[in-house]
Structure formats: C-alpha cells, structure tokens
Amino acid sequence: MSVQSDQRKPVTINTLHKMKQQKEKFTCLTAYDYCSAYSVSSNGVEVILVGDSLGMVIQGHDSSLPVTVDDVAYHMRCVKRGNQGSFLMADMPFMSYHDHNQTLENCAVLMREGAQMVKLEGGGWLADFTRLIVQHGIPVCAHMGLTPQSVNHLGGYRVQGRNPEQAQEMIDEALILQEAGADIILLECVPTDLGAKITDALDVPVIGIGAGPDTDAQIMVWHDLLGLYPGRPAKFVKNFLAGESGGIQGAITSYVSAVKQGLFPAPEHCYT
Ligand code: KIV
C-alpha cells in the first residue's frame, strides 16, 4: 500500500457560489473514512459531507439520533486525511445546537477537525443559530424539508411541502435562512416543483436529495451510491455501482457526470 496524492485546486464556498451563478451543477457525496474520502474527492465530487447518516450506515442504528459530536469529529478526522481538495461539510448532530454557547463549542470541535462548513437541520427557527455561527466565521448549510433528526415529530421519513401552504412556508423560511447568512440550503424529499421554486428564489446554492433535477447540486449517501445499505432503498436512491464496469471509481464518475448532465435524478427518483 502506498500513500498517494491526487490533490486538485481546492473547492471553496466561493467556488460553489460561482457555480450557481454560472448554472453549473455540482455534486456532493457523504464519506466517513480515509479511502472513501480519497476516492470521492479525487473523482471530481465538489463537496464531501460527514453526515449523521453515519448513525445508520456505519453504526447500524435505526435513526441518526444517537450520533454525537465526537462521532462526527472522529469521522471528519479520517475524511480530512483522505480528502484531495473537496469542500468538507460536517453535520451538527441531534441536540448539538440547542443553546448558543454549546452550539459554538460544538461547531469549534468540528471545524478544528477539518470541517469547512457545518450543516444544521430545521426551518425558520434556525435563523438565530445561523446568524450566531456565521458571525463567528463559520459557513452554515441549512437542511430543510425532510429533516431526519425530527423523524419522531414528522411521524416518519415522509415527503415534505406537498400542500401549497407548507410549500409556501418552506420557500419563505429558505429566504429567511439565506437572509440570516446561510451559504447553502439543502432540501431533502420535497416535490420537484418546490425544489425548482426554492432554487430559483435563492441566490445561494441549493443541494437536493429527493428534491428533483432542478436544484443546483445533488447529494447522495456513499452506501446508497454503492447499493450497500440493506433493505428497500428510498425512491431517490440510485445504485451507481450496479452494472458499472469501472467498479467503485466508475460508480463515482458516473454519478458526477449524470448530475452534471442533468440525467440524475430521473423522473423515477422524484416526487410530484
Ligand atoms: O447525514 C446525511 O447523510 C445527510 C444527507 C442525507 C443529506 O444529511
């Protein structure tokens, strides 16, 4: 085994904003360890998320709720060593942003391990936390729509924003979060037309997962990309390894080119 380097020009938050302005789609994948981070970043994926989905795909829990800041910090440390220039985003786990001091301390732990942005789940109520974190020089991604940390409140992993009132509320809240300083909005499991409306309404990039083909970027969980997670996959998941002759590297590059060409997500991965 030899330690390699395939470093490209590092992606920054400015790169992502510029790509939105130039209507160039970008890609994101989760990674949780050195080798997956190396493969993801050296095959052209702009953003790596160390997500709290690690609670399910790494630790085998049935939700992301048991994940701690230390868990995300550990995986960020591993990912940072493998990263070849992708922009690194860290999830703030369940209940790690409930008061101001604790929020800042938790952000600091993740940033010290190599994160370049933190992601928080919620809606308009995140504005206060977003302002606080951004004021301290830390970029924020606000994760809206289906927010898995609230699965018990939502009554399951369900599509959000299906009725016109909820949809309008989500558009308004996305604008509030942009105004509060969020540099990226992530939309999970919303109808395609709502994904498109929010993307159009915002100046900051919108990353989608189950939010249709019109968002500025797409994100997938590494284990879903490779068909590793047991059970029936969500509608928005595509196994890019199935039928791929280029193995794991091929699956990553197929995902990147499908997103950039607007071929993924296809209608069968979207909600109406
Ligand atoms: O934790 C995660 O992997 C995520 C993605 C599903 C967006 O938040």
Side-chain angles (χ1 to χ4, degrees), residues 92-156:
M92 292 283 280
F94 177 61
M95 290 303 281
S96 65
Y97 40 105
H98 57 88
D99 77 51
H100 284 192
N101 287 344
Q102 196 61 33
T103 299
L104 290 176
E105 275 167 28
N106 289 333
C107 288
V109 170
L110 300 178
M111 298 301 280
R112 286 192 189 109
E113 296 298 358
Q116 294 165 297
M117 165 173 253
V118 294
K119 175 163 83 60
L120 285 72
E121 293 184 9
W125 65 270
L126 286 180
D128 187 27
F129 289 98
T130 300
R131 235 174 264 114
L132 173 79
I133 298 169
V134 170
Q135 272 165 5
H136 288 79
I138 300 170
V140 167
C141 170
H143 180 155
M144 304 181 69
L146 171 55
T147 47
Q149 290 172 16
S150 310
V151 60
N152 295 303
H153 176 65
L154 298 174

Side-chain angles (χ1 to χ4, degrees), residues 167-185:
Q168 189 54 52
E169 195 180 341
M170 212 183 292
I171 297 170
D172 295 343
E173 293 191 356
L175 286 164
I176 289 170
L177 291 171
Q178 172 177 264
E179 178 64 30
D183 267 301
I184 295 184
I185 300 291

Side-chain angles (χ1 to χ4, degrees), residues 14-126:
N14 296 343
T15 318
L16 305 176
H17 279 234
K18 203 162 156 196
M19 289 179 86
K20 162 126 190 172
Q21 282 156 17
Q22 296 177 342
K23 300 196 182 315
E24 196 186 329
K25 289 194 187 283
F26 61 89
T27 51
C28 321
L29 269 173
T30 63
Y32 314 96
D33 60 33
Y34 170 81
C35 286
S36 58
Y38 190 95
S39 294
V40 167
S41 57
S42 54
N43 281 291
V45 172
E46 282 86 0
V47 179
I48 293 181
L49 169 68
V50 178
D52 60 0
S53 53
L54 73 87
M56 297 162 97
V57 299
I58 302 285
Q59 299 173 334
H61 295 296
D62 61 3
S63 78
S64 57
L65 271 62
V67 175
T68 64
V69 173
D70 286 346
D71 292 334
V72 179
Y74 168 77
H75 288 281
M76 178 54 76
R77 204 176 310 146
C78 303
V79 163
K80 184 178 163 46
R81 294 187 194 120
N83 183 32
Q84 300 298 305
S86 299
F87 187 67
L88 299 183
M89 191 193 295
D91 251 339
M92 292 283 280
F94 177 61
M95 290 303 281
S96 65
Y97 40 105
H98 57 88
D99 77 51
H100 284 192
N101 287 344
Q102 196 61 33
T103 299
L104 290 176
E105 275 167 28
N106 289 333
C107 288
V109 170
L110 300 178
M111 298 301 280
R112 286 192 189 109
E113 296 298 358
Q116 294 165 297
M117 165 173 253
V118 294
K119 175 163 83 60
L120 285 72
E121 293 184 9
W125 65 270
L126 286 180

Side-chain angles (χ1 to χ4, degrees), residues 159-171 194:
V159 182
Q160 302 297 307
R162 269 202 153 134
N163 75 50
E165 294 77 29
Q166 280 177 349
Q168 189 54 52
E169 195 180 341
M170 212 183 292
I171 297 170
L194 181 56

